[in-house]
Amino acid sequence: MIVTGPIAENRRARYDYEITDTLEAGIVLTGTEVKSLRIGKAQITEAYASPERGELWLINSHIPEYLQANRFNHEEKRPRKLLVKKKDLARLSQDVERAGNTIVPLKLYFNEQGRAKLLIGVGKGKKSFDKRETEKNRDWNREKGRILKEGGRG
């Protein structure tokens, strides 16, 4: 049986950053990391991706140790290599060199073939007034849905 679906999601990323472009990247993992992910334990909220030495690296992501493994366990916060095409890497590197852009992981999941994938986005940090605007829109959409659900009886 192949497990598919989301493992970890960075819900705060779309609040803190204005995401302009997204890309699916493969991720190089060890066996115990994959087993730990299959349990559903991972955190990418504080992680970011960085192009270094002609490769893309996921930095500060947390995959806890797999408890059933003994001495061959992995480091929890080690940098992990991301697999993207050279053309995409060049585009991402160019976007990062521009002022204020960051490569943010949005979602870690298993695809249909059972491979771990990471959805990354190029984002520009929002200012506090942009965040207030996001909250205002979210509250209005919630209120609008409530009004429509009640059938206009407000």
Side-chain angles (χ1 to χ4, degrees):
M1 180 180 87
I2 296 176
V3 179
T4 61
I7 302 163
E9 194 168 349
N10 189 354
R11 297 176 68 194
R12 191 153 174 88
R14 294 196 188 271
Y15 178 74
D16 289 337
Y17 298 95
E18 182 181 329
I19 305 296
T20 56
D21 190 21
T22 60
L23 177 71
E24 183 183 70
I27 183 167
V28 177
L29 299 170
T30 63
T32 54
E33 287 173 328
V34 174
K35 286 180 179 266
S36 188
L37 289 180
R38 294 230 184 261
I39 296 172
K41 307 223 182 213
Q43 293 178 346
I44 57 171
T45 52
E46 298 170 359
Y48 63 96
S50 174
E52 297 170 6
R53 302 180 306 273
E55 298 173 332
L56 190 62
W57 293 88
L58 179 65
I59 298 168
N60 212 19
S61 64
H62 182 265
I63 299 176
E65 286 186 349
Y66 183 62
L67 296 176
Q68 284 77 12
N70 49 17
R71 61 183 182 184
F72 299 112
N73 234 321
H74 61 274
E75 275 185 56
E76 294 182 351
K77 284 207 169 197
R78 73 175 182 88
R80 292 168 178 91
K81 187 175 173 181
L82 296 177
L83 305 171
V84 292
K85 295 179 181 171
K86 283 189 179 184
K87 185 171 73 173
D88 292 332
L89 179 63
R91 186 172 44 86
L92 289 171
S93 298
Q94 224 172 31
D95 286 346
V96 168
E97 287 173 8
R98 290 193 203 132
N101 285 349
T102 310
I103 303 173
V104 184
L106 302 174
K107 186 164 60 167
L108 181 63
Y109 59 94
F110 285 113
N111 67 359
E112 296 82 34
Q113 288 88 29
R115 294 192 175 102
K117 298 288 182 177
L118 184 71
L119 183 68
I120 56 176
V122 177
K124 187 169 183 72
K126 286 185 181 178
K127 306 278 189 238
S128 61
F129 57 85
D130 290 332
K131 292 180 184 180
R132 285 196 296 271
E133 184 72 28
T134 303
E135 285 180 26
K136 191 169 85 173
N137 288 338
R138 187 184 318 135
D139 290 343
W140 167 241
N141 286 337
R142 191 178 300 133
E143 188 65 32
K144 188 168 52 172
R146 194 175 294 132
I147 291 170
L148 289 173
K149 184 178 176 184
E150 292 175 357
R153 302 178 304 247

